Amino acid sequence: MKIEHIALWTNRLEEMRAFYMRYFGASSNEQYHNPAKQFRSYFLSFETGARLEIMQMEGVPDSLNNIYDQFTGLIHFAMATGSKENVDTLTALLSADGYEVIDGPRWTGDGYYESVVLDPDKNRVEITI
């Protein structure tokens, strides 16, 4: 088995789409729109076949979780870049473009080299080798 896709609610559908396409090489399908439910979404596809569904619908409230604290449920997802240098380069680019880096880049105790950045909706994205 494999994880087919992960879905995120957003109030910044186009901004989130542009973020994952620009920084993580995602390709996007055409926007799906269901006018009856006031629902819009994109599927963003990555090189390895994994997909991220970003969705927007009126009435979905903002998350009440503190972005700096840990909590139960989905806390981050990781994007592999292929090398330590790529982690460093992408992290620096995101930082220079105004995205918050909340950890790293660094070697972890269990042998990962990673950084953690916040996407436009303040979701944690781990950037790793």
Side-chain angles (χ1 to χ4, degrees), residues 58-123:
E58 286 190 28
V60 175
D62 290 338
S63 173
L64 300 177
N65 292 320
N66 179 319
I67 60 172
Y68 300 105
D69 290 336
Q70 300 288 341
F71 49 86
T72 58
L74 183 64
I75 193 64
H76 76 261
F77 56 92
M79 302 294 289
T81 64
S83 73
K84 177 184 180 295
E85 293 75 22
N86 290 344
V87 172
D88 292 341
T89 300
L90 182 53
T91 303
L93 176 61
L94 286 159
S95 179
D97 287 351
Y99 295 99
E100 187 174 356
V101 178
I102 62 172
D103 194 15
R106 68 185 182 94
W107 287 102
T108 65
D110 57 355
Y112 280 88
Y113 188 75
E114 65 186 35
S115 66
V116 179
V117 299
L118 300 179
D119 74 9
D121 273 349
K122 308 298 185 205
N123 297 300

Side-chain angles (χ1 to χ4, degrees), residues 1 6 22 25-26 41 51 57 59 64 71 78 80 90:
M1 287 201 208
I6 294 171
R22 176 174 181 194
S41 70
R51 299 189 307 160
M57 186 169 67
L64 300 177
F71 49 86
L90 182 53

Side-chain angles (χ1 to χ4, degrees), residues 26-46:
S27 60
S28 177
N29 69 336
E30 294 295 317
Q31 185 185 95
Y32 169 72
H33 180 215
N34 180 331
K37 293 188 176 188
Q38 298 179 324
F39 174 84
R40 296 175 186 274
S41 70
Y42 289 106
F43 272 98
L44 306 178
S45 299
F46 299 91

